[in-house]
Amino acid sequence: MKPLKHLPAWKTLEQHFKAMRSFDMRAAFREDAQRFEHLSLRCGNLLLDYSKNRVTPETMQHLMQLARESDLDAMRNAMFSGKRINFTEQRAVLHTALRAPVRPSLMVEGVDVEREVAKVLKRMQRFVETIHDGSWRGHTGKTIRNVVNIGIGGSDLGPAMVCHALDHYAVESVRVHFVSNLDPAHLAGTLAHLDPETTLFIVASKTFTTLETLANANSAKAWLLAALRAPAAVARHFVALSTNAQAVEAFGIDPENMFIFWDWVGGRYSLWSAIGLSIALQIGWGNFQALLAGAHAMDLHFREAPLEVNMPVILGMLGIWYANFWGTDTYGVFPYDQRLRLLVPFLQQLDMESNGKNVNRANKRVNYNTGPIVWGAPGTNGQHAFFELVHQGTRLIPTDFLVAAVNPTPLADQHEWLLANCLAQTEALLKGKSRAVAEAELIAQGMGRADARALAPHKVFPGNRPSNTLLYQKLDPHMLGMLIALYEHKVFVQGVIWQINSFDQWGVELGKQLAPPIRAELNPERVSGEHDGSTLGLIADIRRRRGLST
Ligand code: G6Q
């Protein structure tokens, strides 16, 4: 593997960047009336407009050449065909197989993956139907009205984001809740409104060893048993989603009530697997299938479309352009869609856990920046909060705006205003406002010349700031599936270019290792350990507040 910075296309891009430093998008739009047509594309009814970026068609050619020299094609095929591309954990990466229609041909290491997936999906479907038609009863014979998904990270963020996004598809008979945090406030606050007789817990944990999830599951079990007073009740009120049958059984959940998945499903890519049970319970089986089908449509596009017209590749390579040539550190995501309010936390995990790496596939430290800091919030809320910095701050921030043409919940002309604001923000980022215009506006408002001259610099918008717009018809399960898969593949593309493993997460381990000894030091019968001065000071302060010896 040739180091990234030694690739000819990288060197070409470095040269090209020098010429692009003074590039002005406004001039580019004036010079090319077809710029929007040249720099936008559709996949199904999803439109990506990337014309408001600091790129020319030539930039895009160089970026695609970099993708070719990085063996993107081969890496993509390796992922889809089940090669162990997660090489630090020796695992295949096959979330795409979870949403493919059954093809008996995907044999991976002797296992017919598609058939295994189909079997679990069938069991999930039957289970969902028994909850919805009321034939699954709680221990006291009542039907289930509330479902609580207990999980964290990948076993929470994806399903929670989808359930919020598609709450307009929710079935009436059950409500789904999510509990993730170790903070007892999360579980206690949720249970306060629920009736044990009509509540079902889904314990979602790939490993079934996760501290937070097991702590919450044990507390939920205690809550149930305190009310129903019969150990047999657990079998009617708990199901598990996991790869670890032994641990599920040890917890007391009937293996009949366990839905499995496999080690080739990464946590942050698992909403398509049994981990999506809460989604199917909330929106019904047909809609869950539509979500999978949407993701599959994007998989096909990613697999088959030439790089130049491949949406995940374009988004991924634009991110490389900004992070590695323009030196941007962050990237903002602004869904003008309240239902997508959990998209940003989901993408933060997807992107930052996947590409927040500093060692490459040759086990060497990289000498360039990798994954950006992902942040954002739904519009128009963000406009009233942090957009000041996006428009007038000193940093360049590439952004994605997402918006639906049609809102399933029309209220007066509110959606028209939402759309107008979304487009106005990207236009403002592009156009900016010059000092002369700012000054003229102030004078027209009646301000004296000297005052206007003094105030005008504060009212200047530099403009020429980049944005992508993703415009879709309406947020339905199919479209949401497409959008999530789009970002999954974008993150994959960037990981390939940066030559890192996007599918492990060793960076979350150290804190987990250090917690148990600290926990032991908070006990009345303290077990002293080795810490830095700050941690020692904090432990001592906590002990003092609790009246314990220090
Ligand atoms: C995701 C990560 C991580 C994981 C959680 C929960 O890719 O691996 O967020 O999903 O730590 O793990 P369990 O599902 O094993 O409880």
Side-chain angles (χ1 to χ4, degrees):
M1 182 177 73
K2 225 177 183 176
L4 175 58
K5 288 191 167 182
H6 294 186
L7 294 175
W10 182 277
K11 301 214 173 292
T12 310
L13 277 161
E14 279 177 336
Q15 287 308 316
H16 178 69
F17 173 67
K18 285 185 194 153
M20 287 295 288
R21 244 193 217 133
S22 55
F23 179 76
D24 191 323
M25 290 188 269
R26 293 159 289 204
F29 273 105
R30 278 195 299 273
E31 283 156 20
D32 179 4
Q34 302 292 306
R35 185 172 165 88
F36 171 81
E37 280 72 27
H38 292 152
L39 299 174
S40 65
L41 85 156
R42 286 167 205 278
C43 175
N45 76 32
L46 177 62
L47 167 72
L48 166 64
D49 169 20
Y50 63 102
S51 60
K52 292 189 184 101
N53 277 293
R54 293 183 179 182
V55 294
T56 60
E58 191 193 341
T59 316
M60 297 312 293
Q61 278 168 22
H62 296 322
L63 287 169
M64 295 309 149
Q65 182 57 23
L66 180 64
R68 265 182 217 103
E69 290 175 15
S70 302
D71 280 337
L72 178 61
D73 261 352
M75 291 297 288
R76 183 177 54 181
N77 292 341
M79 175 171 75
F80 277 97
S81 61
K83 298 273 174 349
R84 294 186 183 188
I85 61 168
N86 175 357
F87 64 93
T88 57
E89 297 182 302
Q90 280 305 309
R91 288 178 184 165
V93 174
L94 272 174
H95 47 279
T96 51
L98 298 165
R99 51 217 192 191
V102 182
R103 282 173 294 119
S105 55
L106 188 58
M107 297 296 295
V108 175
E109 293 164 17
V111 177
D112 187 338
V113 167
E114 298 294 358
R115 230 180 269 286
E116 288 298 304
V117 170
K119 266 198 264 175
V120 177
L121 284 174
K122 197 88 228 136
R123 282 192 63 223
M124 286 168 67
Q125 179 180 6
R126 274 201 298 271
F127 179 74
V128 168
E129 284 166 0
T130 60
I131 295 285
H132 287 167
D133 68 17
S135 55
W136 178 285
R137 299 286 165 126
H139 179 67
T140 57
K142 294 192 176 168
T143 53
I144 298 299
R145 311 291 300 169
N146 286 284
V147 173
V148 182
N149 186 86
I150 298 178
I152 196 164
S155 299
D156 168 73
L157 286 164
M161 183 271 287
V162 173
C163 284
H164 279 90
L166 298 178
D167 63 356
H168 51 308
Y169 287 83
V171 300
E172 276 183 13
S173 52
V174 285
R175 284 196 58 210
V176 179
H177 313 261
F178 289 86
V179 171
S180 53
N181 203 331
L182 194 52
D183 184 339
H186 203 176
L187 181 68
T190 306
L191 297 185
H193 309 287
L194 304 183
D195 172 3
E197 290 184 84
T198 58
T199 299
L200 175 84
F201 293 96
I202 298 178
V203 187
S205 177
K206 179 173 170 180
T207 55
F208 227 80
T209 57
T210 305
L211 169 72
E212 294 86 340
T213 301
L214 291 186
N216 277 321
N218 277 311
S219 298
K221 186 159 82 170
W223 175 81
L224 184 91
L225 292 177
L228 303 186
R229 300 181 175 284
V234 173
R236 305 305 300 164
H237 292 268
F238 275 82
V239 300
L241 320 174
S242 188
T243 57
N244 185 349
Q246 261 185 336
V248 168
E249 216 173 333
F251 179 86
I253 295 180
D254 187 343
E256 283 295 300
N257 299 344
M258 171 178 172
F259 300 88
I260 60 160
F261 56 111
W262 306 270
D263 70 359
W264 42 260
V265 182
R268 53 194 174 276
Y269 299 88
S270 65
L271 70 94
W272 322 100
S273 71
I275 290 291
L277 187 67
S278 52
I279 302 173
L281 283 167
Q282 160 139 331
I283 64 177
W285 192 254
N287 286 323
F288 183 62
Q289 280 184 308
L291 180 82
L292 300 186
H296 180 63
M298 186 54 74
D299 293 342
L300 287 180
H301 167 79
F302 178 50
R303 251 188 125 156
E304 288 165 9
L307 300 187
E308 289 72 12
V309 286
N310 192 309
M311 220 181 257
V313 175
I314 290 171
L315 279 184
M317 297 313 294
L318 285 169
I320 300 282
W321 177 234
Y322 288 115
N324 298 114
F325 295 91
W326 290 90
T328 57
D329 284 326
T330 85
Y331 144 63
V333 181
F334 311 125
Y336 275 62
D337 195 327
Q338 179 62 15
R339 292 187 170 86
L340 290 178
R341 64 192 174 279
L342 296 185
L343 181 68
V344 173
F346 171 79
L347 291 182
Q348 285 175 324
Q349 180 185 30
L350 176 65
D351 204 320
M352 302 195 333
E353 200 167 59
S354 298
N355 286 343
K357 310 282 161 70
N358 64 45
V359 173
N360 70 8
R361 296 200 299 267
N363 312 315
K364 298 266 179 356
R365 168 108 202 191
V366 299
N367 58 356
Y368 41 81
N369 272 340
T370 59
I373 298 156
V374 181
W375 64 283
T380 57
N381 298 19
Q383 291 175 208
H384 298 265
F386 45 71
F387 265 50
E388 172 71 27
L389 184 144
V390 185
H391 286 288
Q392 286 193 322
T394 51
R395 293 173 175 82
L396 181 68
I397 302 171
T399 54
D400 284 359
F401 287 73
L402 295 92
V403 72
V406 174
N407 197 312
T409 323
L411 270 186
D413 59 352
Q414 287 188 215
H415 190 73
E416 305 311 296
W417 279 112
L418 186 71
L419 265 169
N421 270 279
C422 178
L423 270 52
Q425 289 300 323
T426 65
E427 187 173 37
L429 284 168
L430 168 73
K431 274 171 88 171
K433 187 184 283 188
S434 68
R435 187 171 175 158
V437 171
E439 208 172 308
E441 279 180 4
L442 290 169
I443 290 167
Q445 285 158 20
M447 191 176 271
R449 273 190 190 282
D451 287 346
R453 199 166 309 132
L455 187 55
H458 300 275
K459 299 204 140 209
V460 167
F461 289 65
N464 201 30
R465 299 198 165 191
S467 66
N468 293 310
T469 301
L470 284 159
L471 175 66
Y472 43 93
Q473 183 62 14
K474 65 174 194 228
L475 192 66
D476 59 21
H478 193 273
M479 180 48 63
L480 184 62
M482 283 182 71
L483 285 170
I484 301 169
L486 168 64
Y487 279 110
E488 285 179 350
H489 295 319
K490 172 204 154 176
V491 165
F492 170 82
V493 168
Q494 296 187 332
V496 170
I497 304 299
W498 288 321
Q499 306 182 337
I500 54 178
N501 181 1
S502 300
F503 299 101
D504 61 12
Q505 54 282 313
W506 301 108
V508 303
E509 296 297 323
L510 182 57
K512 287 189 199 169
Q513 260 172 21
L514 297 183
I518 294 177
R519 171 80 185 79
E521 295 217 32
L522 302 178
N523 287 337
E525 54 294 342
R526 174 181 200 171
V527 185
S528 290
E530 291 261 311
H531 302 285
D532 59 90
S534 160
T535 308
L536 281 174
L538 291 166
I539 291 172
D541 192 82
I542 294 170
R543 291 185 69 87
R544 257 195 305 276
R545 287 166 193 269
R546 294 179 170 182
L548 300 173
S549 64
T550 58

